[in-house]
């Protein structure tokens, strides 16, 4: 693991265990955290053969004033309140953060990793940023994952959406006991979002280890529910995320349905 700075944005990189790097995942942390907070989850995923060709980039949010907390802390954009369904949003801050994540995507492309071999995802606030990055990016990414997250600028999704976004696989995961981002709100918002953008919507509770992914399952938005899970990452959720990442970023020359070990 190494620390890097580019154009003012600090991040950690965790190189692939395999000698050949053929795919990249950019994992965006939540409010008040840093990229280091995601590193333990990445180490679990990296030890699997199906993910050992992946480089992981864990960016750190800049420290800024967060209105809803009345304190400065690491945050990708301002949060005016924690009433997610009704609050006004920091649109300027959101799109500035999208630009920072796009800089990381561009750097990977310049290094030789094509956009269809890059996944962007995140936890909580970072998940919202990942969704908006996918919506506003002019590239066909390999996928977007959203863990205990929400969709920012929901009322503008159709106008923000770029032509290639509907073809990007979306993995949403949420706990039914989440006290920070209400489960039913998150599920309903994801279904409405999918409907607005004419995406297939799949509501899934069983683990992917019990219902293996087919290539047709990667089309549209998959919303995975985890009974009793709060605003965190569970072992089952991490396992499902591993299987989904292995499917959208298979080892080159492999079927997406084979990369499960």
């Amino acid at each position: 693991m190494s620390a890097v700075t580019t154009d003012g944005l600090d991040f950690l990189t965790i190189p692939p265990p395999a000698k050949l790097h053929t795919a990249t995942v950019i994992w965006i942390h939540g409010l008040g955290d840093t990229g280091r907070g995601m590193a333990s989850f990445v180490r679990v995923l990296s030890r699997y053969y199906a993910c050992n060709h992946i480089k992981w980039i864990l960016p750190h949010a800049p420290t800024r004033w967060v209105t809803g907390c009345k304190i400065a802390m690491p945050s990708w954009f301002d949060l005016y309140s924690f009433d997610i369904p009704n609050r006004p949003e920091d649109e300027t801050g959101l799109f500035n953060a999208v630009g920072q994540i796009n800089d990381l995507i561009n750097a990977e492309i310049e290094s030789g990793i094509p956009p269809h071999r890059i996944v962007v995802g995140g936890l909580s606030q970072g998940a919202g940023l990942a969704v908006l990055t996918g919506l506003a990016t002019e590239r066909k990414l390999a996928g977007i994952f959203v863990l205990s997250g929400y969709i920012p600028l929901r009322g503008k999704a159709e106008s923000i959406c770029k032509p290639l976004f509907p073809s990007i696989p979306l993995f949403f995961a949420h706990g039914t006991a989440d006290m920070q981002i209400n489960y039913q709100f998150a599920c309903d918002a994801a279904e409405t979002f999918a409907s607005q953008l004419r995406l297939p919507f799949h509501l899934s509770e069983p683990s992917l280890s019990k219902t293996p992914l087919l290539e047709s399952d990667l089309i549209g938005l998959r919303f995975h529910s985890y009974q009793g899970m709060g605003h965190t990452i569970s072992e089952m959720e991490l396992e499902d995320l591993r299987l989904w990442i292995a499917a959208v970023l298979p080892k080159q020359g492999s079927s997406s349905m084979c990369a499960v070990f």
Side-chain angles (χ1 to χ4, degrees):
M1 184 168 65
S2 61
V4 183
T5 301
T6 179
D7 295 329
L9 185 65
D10 297 333
F11 57 93
L12 298 178
T13 60
I14 299 179
K19 292 182 179 180
L20 190 60
H21 163 217
T22 63
T24 297
V25 174
I26 299 171
W27 189 327
I28 311 168
H29 67 76
L31 179 68
D33 202 356
T34 70
R36 294 180 184 85
M38 304 296 99
S40 61
F41 303 115
V42 169
R43 290 191 185 98
V44 171
L45 297 174
S46 291
R47 72 176 184 230
Y48 290 95
Y49 172 78
C51 294
N52 71 3
H53 58 296
I54 297 171
K55 169 185 171 182
W56 303 80
I57 298 176
L58 312 178
H60 308 309
T63 297
R64 68 175 72 243
W65 181 260
V66 178
T67 302
C69 298
K70 296 182 172 58
I71 193 173
M73 63 173 64
S75 183
W76 294 104
F77 45 88
D78 196 4
L79 299 173
Y80 298 134
S81 81
F82 290 91
D83 180 9
I84 296 174
N86 303 303
R87 70 187 180 195
E89 296 187 86
D90 176 18
E91 187 166 342
T92 298
L94 277 158
F95 280 109
N96 284 341
V98 166
Q100 291 178 307
I101 301 304
N102 268 321
D103 287 344
L104 296 177
I105 294 171
N106 290 337
E108 287 304 291
I109 293 171
E110 290 172 6
S111 75
I113 303 299
H116 69 270
R117 298 288 292 170
I118 298 173
V119 162
V120 176
L123 173 68
S124 193
Q125 187 194 42
L129 178 53
V131 173
L132 189 58
T133 299
L135 270 174
T137 298
E138 299 269 11
R139 296 185 176 93
K140 169 67 165 67
L141 300 176
I144 302 289
F145 66 85
V146 176
L147 311 181
S148 300
Y150 57 91
I151 302 164
L153 304 177
R154 295 183 306 282
K156 298 183 178 182
E158 288 184 86
S159 62
I160 295 170
C161 183
K162 299 300 183 185
L164 290 175
F165 179 76
S167 64
I168 299 175
L170 305 174
F171 177 94
F172 280 56
H174 216 95
T176 61
D178 193 323
M179 300 298 289
Q180 294 189 41
I181 302 173
N182 177 268
Y183 166 80
Q184 197 58 55
F185 163 74
C187 184
D188 291 346
E191 187 170 10
T192 299
F193 176 76
S195 177
Q196 288 174 333
L197 302 180
R198 294 168 290 282
L199 306 174
F201 179 81
H202 313 278
L203 184 61
S204 177
E205 287 194 24
S207 169
L208 290 180
S209 63
K210 298 178 181 179
T211 56
L213 283 171
L214 302 174
E215 290 191 28
S216 58
D217 295 326
L218 299 178
I219 300 171
L221 191 158
R222 298 185 60 87
F223 192 97
H224 290 256
S225 304
Y226 298 90
Q227 295 298 321
M229 188 181 84
H231 196 70
T232 186
I233 297 175
S234 71
E235 289 186 12
M236 181 179 292
E237 179 187 24
L238 193 62
E239 171 68 1
D240 285 347
L241 178 62
R242 175 181 76 84
L243 293 168
W244 179 83
I245 288 175
V248 298
L249 291 177
K251 287 178 173 291
Q252 290 188 331
S254 302
S255 166
S256 63
M257 294 178 286
C258 298
V260 296
F261 298 108

